[in-house]
Amino acid sequence: MKIQPPFLPLSLAEGRACGIDHFDIILVTGDAYVDHPSFGTALIGRVLWDAGFSVGIIAQPDIKTERDFTALGKPRLFFGISSGNVDSMVNNFTPNQKRRSSDVYSPGGVPRRPDRATIVYANRVHAAYPGTPIVLGGIEASLRRFAHYDYWQDRVRQSILADAPATLLVYGMAERQMVAIAGRLDAGEQARALRDIPGTSYTMELAEWRTAPPEGVVAIPAFSYVSSDKTAYARAFALHCREQDPVRGRAVAQPHPKTVIIQNAPAQPLSAAELDHIYELPFSRRAHPSYQKPVPALEPVQFSVVSHRGCFGSCSFCALTHHQGRIVQSRSAVSIVREVTRMAAMPEFRGIVQDVGGPTANMYGMECDRWDTAGACPDKPCSPACQTLRTSHRQLADLLKKVSDVPGVKKVFVGSGIRYDLVLADDPGSRYLDDLCDRHVSGHLKVAPEHISPHITKAMNKPDGSVFDRFVDRFEALQKGKHRRQYLVPYFMSGHPGCTVSDMVELAEYIRDRGLYTEQVQDFTPTPMSVSTCMYYTGLNPFTLEPVHVPKGWEKKIQRALMQYREPQNRGLVLEGLKMAGREDLIGRGKKCLVTGEDSRDRSRPGPAARQR
């Protein structure tokens, strides 16, 4: 084990200060280097260093020249390349495909990340060091490991491993994979021979695939089929979706025009002890001191704590099932308390723990008796209705109390989202929601019902709207007698596959009747490897092949406007939506009306040509 430096080196001079003249591994990222466990490059870099390998970081390199890519020299083992914490296309464009003017993962918010950053960086590295192994990782690589629909080009693209000159791809949370790759290369194995590491994908020559395909591999429809036949795309998605469990998952292969992409079965989840060790590595929780301006993404998470990984919610529009998986992996309370104690000693700490959570904050400590031996059920989603899923919040309530008792801590907030259906299924004796409202929510509690129409929530794999109603009633009951009342901030979504204008009118009425404020508005964005994206592209439910209505273009704009019907600038779109749905009864000045009638000042409706775009 090497002694960990305050920051991983960004230059050869910093490497020499650590006694390193030649790095074992060099990580290239589209983010600024922030030494915090919420930033993937820092996390993987610290883990590799802890395993005995020296690591240098090339952060946000200038792609117009090779200078930045060669600044640290050639690594002894391999380059690891990532777009950063987010998919570069999601990061660089709004849901309406307008280029963003800022990047929160960059100093001063100045954009420095190229489109399709993983491919661009890999090509640059390969040009500079053609014989050096390249390993792709991070969310962009993980969710583009098969042929996938690309919203920004409106077409099916090849696996990123077929487009980038890389040897391997690691998917999911990749600590096990990266350490295994480094160890085996260090032992003298050839990179092309590393074909058996769980949680990785590799390429195989077409000739070898035809003559000697690996045993036990699930072959899914080839790129030539899925790129031209939407039914084939849906079938391929459903097939590889079923193999994403670390216990029962099998290897999956997809032929491409020049190669075959083979995904090994997922890596095993980390144990509590392994998670504890990783998150207690000596992260400085600061941006690298070479930056002259702050990195905006650090501020909201600097004093937050990751308590667990994984999410069994399996929301259709979320690709987390394909990245972290459904099996929840929780840290020990002792480890989290130690981490917060170190945080509290930092001079910048002001007594506020910003978040204790994970993908879904209140899944901490929840387990299913089947996970260790059989994995998550292949034929049904995890839910509170399942008798083998333990939904008690007692462990979480106890954890929050222990963190609150750390000297120097004034407040512990839960900033991650919570599943309200789990709250309703909680052991009554845990008092989780009572404690949450009393001690761990400032003024607003964020929840994500997404919609209230039963067939839409079913398509989203979200709880029925009646479940949200019961939660709202319980939350409001807890506000009685409070000196300072709290408010729910619900996240709703427009434009999801299956949703019609009439469904959005129904949601607008619900918002009106409940007196909710829809500040947090989401317009569905088809991001790679989610069930909803498959539905958006194919117009089919991938698991049943039944047709699904897909709102696009002008209809999608109308749906978004209906969620914020109170905004004056949305008035024209709302009027058109109400007429499309045959709900002129909601136009006027009555108590139930959403907007007043048309007048001569309404200029929001475009001509026919514009509406077709």
Side-chain angles (χ1 to χ4, degrees), residues 119 123 148 155 157-166 256 259 261:
I119 296 174
N123 281 322
H148 55 280
R155 69 178 178 91
R157 288 182 62 97
Q158 295 189 118
S159 162
I160 197 170
L161 199 50
D163 283 339
H256 280 58
T259 190
I261 305 300

Side-chain angles (χ1 to χ4, degrees), residues 206-219:
L206 288 167
E208 182 182 1
W209 169 254
R210 295 187 186 110
T211 57
E215 293 183 2
V217 174
V218 177

Side-chain angles (χ1 to χ4, degrees), residues 96-304:
N96 291 327
Q97 300 193 4
K98 295 181 180 178
R99 186 168 290 278
R100 298 185 195 272
S101 59
S102 62
D103 184 344
V104 297
Y105 292 96
S106 184
V110 178
R112 291 190 175 91
R113 190 191 324 261
D115 296 347
R116 311 192 191 283
T118 304
I119 296 174
V120 173
Y121 294 158
N123 281 322
R124 272 299 188 184
V125 166
H126 180 68
Y129 301 104
T132 304
I134 294 174
V135 178
L136 308 182
I139 195 76
E140 182 164 282
S142 184
L143 299 184
R144 294 176 182 265
R145 60 188 185 266
F146 292 110
H148 55 280
Y149 172 69
D150 187 88
Y151 174 60
W152 299 270
Q153 291 185 333
D154 193 25
R155 69 178 178 91
V156 176
R157 288 182 62 97
Q158 295 189 118
S159 162
I160 197 170
L161 199 50
D163 283 339
T167 315
L168 290 168
L169 179 151
V170 295
Y171 68 92
M173 305 300 285
E175 294 94 349
R176 284 193 194 281
Q177 300 94 297
M178 294 293 277
V179 171
I181 291 168
R184 290 174 63 172
L185 291 178
D186 188 46
E189 292 190 55
Q190 296 298 305
R192 290 289 174 188
L194 304 183
R195 290 181 163 188
D196 59 345
I197 299 174
T200 66
S201 295
Y202 62 92
T203 59
M204 176 179 283
E205 296 293 332
L206 288 167
E208 182 182 1
W209 169 254
R210 295 187 186 110
T211 57
E215 293 183 2
V217 174
V218 177
I220 64 175
F223 174 79
S224 59
Y225 294 112
V226 302
S227 59
S228 59
D229 184 327
K230 292 183 178 181
T231 301
Y233 184 99
R235 286 180 50 241
F237 181 88
L239 284 169
H240 73 67
C241 193
R242 293 189 180 104
E243 305 302 332
Q244 302 311 312
D245 185 89
V247 178
R248 54 178 171 76
R250 297 169 291 177
V252 179
Q254 185 176 51
H256 280 58
K258 296 182 179 180
T259 190
V260 178
I261 305 300
I262 300 181
Q263 174 203 273
N264 288 321
Q268 289 296 308
L270 297 179
S271 66
E274 289 171 316
L275 280 176
D276 289 350
H277 180 75
I278 287 171
Y279 284 101
E280 288 193 71
L281 292 173
F283 297 96
S284 67
R285 294 182 173 268
R286 300 179 179 97
H288 191 274
S290 64
Y291 298 130
Q292 301 299 309
K293 294 182 179 180
V295 179
L298 173 60
E299 190 276 330
V301 301
Q302 185 174 16
F303 299 111
S304 65

Side-chain angles (χ1 to χ4, degrees), residues 512-574:
R512 175 202 66 199
D513 294 342
R514 276 286 187 175
L516 298 173
Y517 179 61
T518 51
E519 177 187 11
Q520 306 292 340
V521 171
Q522 300 176 87
D523 190 19
F524 171 68
T525 304
T527 54
M529 207 175 277
S530 75
V531 176
S532 299
T533 296
C534 181
M535 290 192 284
Y536 177 90
Y537 171 61
T538 65
L540 300 169
N541 180 317
F543 306 113
T544 65
L545 298 183
E546 295 175 349
V548 176
H549 171 71
V550 179
K552 293 184 179 180
W554 190 246
E555 181 191 349
K556 205 163 184 283
K557 292 182 179 179
I558 289 174
Q559 289 199 18
R560 180 184 174 89
L562 280 163
M563 261 203 299
Q564 294 183 306
Y565 64 88
R566 298 184 183 96
E567 301 296 329
Q569 67 270 22
N570 290 337
R571 183 171 169 278
L573 289 167
V574 173

